[in-house]
Amino acid sequence: MKIKSLAIASLLAFLLFANPVAAQDNWSYQRCLDYALTHNLTLQQSVLQKRLQELTLKQNRMSQLPTIGAGANAGYRFGRSIDPTTNTFVTQTLFNAGLNMNLDADLFGWFTKQNTIKASKYQVYAANFQLEKARNDMGVNVANAFLQILLANEQVKISKSQVDLSIAQLDNTKKLVAAGSVPESNQADLEAQLARDSSALVTAENNSIIRVLTMKALLNLDFAVPFNTELPENVESVSLLNLAETDPEMVFSAALANQPGYKADEAMVKAANRNLAAAKGALYPSLSIGGGAGTNYANSNYQQFGPPIPYVDTTGFVTVNGSTYPALKAGAFRQSKLTPFGEQFSNNFGQNIGVTLSIPILNAWQLRGNVERAKIDMQDKLLTLDINRQKLRQDIYTAHADAVGALQKYQAAVTTERASQKAYDFATKRFNVGLMNTVEYVTTQTNLFRAQIDRVSALYDYIFKIKLLEFYRDQRITL
């Protein structure tokens, strides 16, 4: 349908020609949206959640690689201890050092790790869809905030016009009172009306300020930054969604195919299914391979070198025929030295390799509990999918009903404004010739003012609800 009025012309000019590269202080809808997508705090949290899921996926993928560890040790031993190089008891201060390396890898674990990786992939998909949903929702929120600013500005304009009109009427009445044409009560009534109109203007201006602050909070924009909405001129009309040709069930079908929130729920169901498979796999035996290598050093390890050196040692004395003779023992010895560090490490280097079969028999019901927990989580994700699907259908039907009601309300407001304008025009003519008292005239004027405010409010409410219905269908706001 075609909607014609000065207010809608200004709004639709914005809708069609908003330019994100506006002047420094001018903000179009697109500029607001682009800024919000970069700076909004809630969106930044969604980005972090997505990065966390991606990190979890990377970590689960890397868990398929073998585990390799290395270590070193050094220290002193006092008193009786075992020499690590000779495996014999020694009683001395002993310095020892060692190096070791171990490797462990899974050979078969009933695809537990593979299912965990697939679950993480679906969780990453869900996080991406959730981020897309958050961005789409941000478009709706920014559009609503922007339209609220436009509505507040229109209300300020109407209130200013009303104040100007009341001032003009009061000035004219003062002249008539001075000339003795009308009683002074007329002037008092108009002065009271001017006070009410001025109060309404202050309220409208304050409401406009609050709407701008709401937008700045949404954008995470400094409150001191100037904010002027960008509204090009000379646009008279634009075609909007024809509600008579829009079936809510068709919108629902389109939303199921396009809405990222629903796709996120589907991905979470698939992730829960894979987590259940991984939990079941942990109930069965697993096979792994392991190996290691190590060496050590001790300051008690000596080695001999050089040729044998003979020696004669007296082991005691013997008496023969009254004469004492020494008992001699011949022998030979070789020189010794502390085995060098590198040579000990080379001599003591050892390796090992083996296969381990792990059979879970009794583990305090932990593994079975994990399976049951995964089953419950799977059921919860399915229920969440059904609940959100039902809520989506309800929201779309509600949005369609709201849009129809908003259109009817706007049409009624336009009719009311036209009738109020005619009544006010007739009342002005009668008042100017003295055929209507001031109270009746002010009442007519107030009715017109209220009708103008109601028409503008109904207009912006109708536009937003139409755009919301379009959002459910297309997952985007086209302002």
Side-chain angles (χ1 to χ4, degrees):
M1 60 172 293
K2 299 289 185 178
I3 302 176
K4 296 182 180 180
S5 70
L6 181 59
I8 189 60
S10 298
L11 170 67
L12 296 176
F14 151 73
L15 299 181
L16 293 179
F17 300 107
N19 183 3
V21 290
Q24 181 63 29
D25 297 336
N26 292 336
W27 290 78
S28 65
Y29 165 75
Q30 191 60 48
R31 184 185 176 190
C32 291
L33 179 59
D34 293 341
Y35 194 92
L37 292 178
T38 306
H39 296 83
N40 180 264
L41 299 180
T42 302
L43 280 181
Q44 292 179 24
Q45 284 185 321
S46 298
V47 173
L48 291 178
Q49 292 299 320
K50 173 178 173 291
R51 290 173 57 187
L52 282 175
Q53 293 298 337
E54 291 172 344
L55 181 60
T56 301
L57 173 60
K58 181 179 179 180
Q59 189 175 15
N60 289 335
R61 282 174 171 168
M62 292 300 179
S63 68
Q64 299 178 100
L65 300 177
T67 301
I68 301 176
N73 63 82
Y76 285 93
R77 298 181 183 178
F78 306 94
R80 184 176 175 86
S81 60
I82 296 178
D83 187 338
T85 61
T86 63
N87 204 32
T88 60
F89 282 100
V90 296
T91 303
Q92 67 180 76
T93 299
L94 181 67
F95 173 77
N96 67 283
L99 294 175
N100 64 82
M101 178 175 289
N102 299 289
L103 179 145
D104 185 71
D106 290 334
L107 295 179
F108 183 71
W110 298 94
F111 312 108
T112 298
K113 290 186 176 181
Q114 289 79 359
N115 282 315
T116 301
I117 291 171
K118 290 179 180 179
S120 295
K121 285 183 180 179
Y122 287 123
Q123 288 169 346
V124 170
Y125 295 155
N128 287 329
F129 288 132
Q130 289 290 357
L131 179 58
E132 183 182 352
K133 178 181 182 298
R135 287 172 173 168
N136 290 346
D137 292 344
M138 184 57 59
V140 175
N141 294 335
V142 171
N144 183 38
F146 200 93
L147 291 174
Q148 290 297 322
I149 292 175
L150 300 184
L151 171 59
N153 292 341
E154 289 297 323
Q155 290 174 338
V156 169
K157 292 178 182 179
I158 294 173
S159 297
K160 285 183 177 179
S161 300
Q162 182 68 19
V163 168
D164 293 339
L165 178 60
S166 296
I167 291 175
Q169 291 174 343
L170 179 60
D171 290 341
N172 183 56
T173 301
K174 286 180 179 180
K175 296 177 182 179
L176 295 176
V177 170
S181 301
V182 295
E184 291 185 8
S185 60
N186 288 10
Q187 178 179 337
D189 292 336
L190 289 175
E191 286 175 347
Q193 179 63 30
L194 177 59
R196 288 190 292 268
D197 293 340
S198 299
S199 177
L201 174 59
V202 171
T203 300
E205 289 175 338
N206 184 65
N207 185 56
S208 178
I209 294 173
I210 292 175
R211 297 306 181 203
V212 171
L213 292 177
T214 300
M215 174 65 86
K216 287 184 176 181
L218 187 63
L219 304 185
N220 192 25
L221 181 67
D222 193 303
F223 287 175
V225 174
F227 190 95
N228 298 318
T229 52
E230 183 179 291
L231 294 173
E233 302 290 339
N234 300 325
V235 175
E236 296 182 355
S237 62
V238 68
S239 296
L240 297 177
L241 181 67
N242 191 339
L243 289 175
E245 300 176 359
T246 303
D247 179 31
E249 192 62 30
M250 294 178 60
V251 175
F252 173 68
S253 298
L256 287 181
N258 299 323
Q259 201 204 45
Y262 187 75
K263 293 180 179 179
D265 292 336
E266 290 180 324
M268 290 304 295
V269 170
K270 295 177 181 179
N273 185 40
R274 290 301 178 178
N275 281 328
L276 176 58
K280 288 180 177 179
L283 295 174
Y284 299 98
S286 62
L287 189 65
S288 63
I289 185 172
T295 186
N296 52 48
Y297 163 86
N299 64 352
S300 61
N301 189 305
Y302 285 81
Q303 63 180 359
Q304 296 178 337
F305 67 95
I309 300 175
Y311 67 92
V312 177
D313 191 14
T314 301
T315 61
F317 296 90
V318 296
T319 301
V320 180
N321 297 325
S323 299
T324 301
Y325 300 94
L328 301 178
K329 177 182 179 181
F333 73 93
R334 300 177 65 185
Q335 295 181 332
S336 63
K337 63 179 180 180
L338 182 64
T339 305
F341 199 93
E343 187 173 341
Q344 285 197 46
F345 267 35
S346 177
N347 294 338
N348 298 330
F349 182 68
Q351 310 87 37
N352 66 84
I353 188 171
V355 177
T356 301
L357 177 65
S358 299
I359 304 175
I361 297 177
L362 181 63
N363 50 29
W365 205 71
Q366 295 301 308
L367 297 181
R368 287 286 181 183
N370 291 340
V371 172
E372 294 302 318
R373 188 178 292 107
K375 288 180 180 179
I376 293 174
D377 183 63
M378 178 73 179
Q379 295 173 355
D380 179 69
K381 294 299 187 296
L382 287 171
L383 287 174
T384 300
L385 179 66
D386 291 340
I387 290 171
N388 290 342
R389 177 189 177 96
Q390 185 182 57
K391 185 176 185 302
L392 178 62
R393 183 193 294 268
Q394 179 182 354
D395 289 344
I396 289 175
Y397 273 83
T398 300
H400 185 272
D402 287 342
V404 171
L407 174 59
Q408 295 174 348
K409 183 178 178 181
Y410 172 69
Q411 292 172 339
V414 170
T415 302
T416 302
E417 182 187 19
R418 290 174 181 172
S420 299
Q421 184 66 54
K422 290 182 179 180
Y424 175 73
D425 292 340
F426 286 125
T428 300
K429 295 178 181 179
R430 297 182 62 191
F431 179 75
N432 290 337
V433 297
L435 297 179
M436 177 179 286
N437 60 47
T438 306
V439 174
E440 294 175 338
Y441 181 66
V442 168
T443 300
T444 305
Q445 181 178 329
T446 301
N447 292 338
L448 174 60
F449 173 66
R450 187 181 297 111
Q452 291 172 335
I453 294 294
D454 290 343
R455 192 264 307 163
V456 171
S457 299
L459 168 64
Y460 284 95
D461 182 59
Y462 166 64
I463 292 176
F464 176 73
K465 287 178 177 175
I466 285 290
K467 293 302 177 182
L468 182 60
L469 192 61
E470 291 179 354
F471 169 76
Y472 281 119
R473 185 187 65 181
D474 304 326
Q475 290 303 299
R476 59 191 179 93
I477 292 289
T478 55
L479 291 183

